[in-house]
């Protein structure tokens, strides 16, 4: 849902609980957006959510890697934080 909502989310992929969010300047060209990846990581950190990144060949992937014992409530809180950070960065589609 966040990929559809925000213009700078180019792709969301993962395996199990490890999820990578690719950030792009333009969804059509898929041009990497490493500058915003750093802002996402810092914005999440300020709100108490630790994410990995920027990662990937171009430094434009933010990685979520929660523990296997994560509770549903914690997942929901993480998504609220992520959505808030994305919204504050002005990436509305």
């Amino acid at each position: 849902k966040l990929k559809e909502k925000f213009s700078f989310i180019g792709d969301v992929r993962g395996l199990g609980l490890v999820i990578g969010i690719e950030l792009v300047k333009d969804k059509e060209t898929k041009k990497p957006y490493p500058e915003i990846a750093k802002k996402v990581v810092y914005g999440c950190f300020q709100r108490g959510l630790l994410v990995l990144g920027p990662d990937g060949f171009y430094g434009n992937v933010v990685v979520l890697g929660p523990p296997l014992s994560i509770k549903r409530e914690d997942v929901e809180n993480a998504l609220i934080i992520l959505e808030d950070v994305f919204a504050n960065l002005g990436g509305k589609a």
Side-chain angles (χ1 to χ4, degrees):
K1 290 181 182 179
L2 293 179
K3 180 180 175 183
E4 296 168 6
K5 187 172 182 177
F6 295 101
S7 61
F8 50 69
I9 299 178
D11 194 20
V12 178
R13 55 189 175 269
L15 183 61
L17 291 177
V18 178
I19 304 293
I21 304 170
E22 179 186 28
L23 303 174
V24 297
K25 291 183 180 181
D26 183 293
K27 285 189 178 192
E28 294 293 320
T29 65
K30 298 281 189 173
K31 183 172 181 173
Y33 202 176
E35 302 86 4
I36 205 162
K38 292 176 187 175
K39 291 178 182 180
V40 168
V41 171
Y42 187 67
C44 288
F45 175 75
Q46 288 180 313
R47 291 164 178 81
L49 176 64
L50 297 178
V51 297
L52 303 173
D55 199 4
F57 187 74
Y58 297 104
N60 66 320
V61 178
V62 174
V63 178
L64 308 174
L68 294 174
S69 61
I70 193 166
K71 298 175 185 167
R72 184 171 188 84
E73 176 184 333
D74 294 329
V75 171
E76 291 169 359
N77 287 334
L79 289 173
I80 289 168
I81 292 170
L82 267 177
E83 185 170 9
D84 183 51
V85 169
F86 289 153
N88 285 330
L89 292 172
K92 296 285 182 184

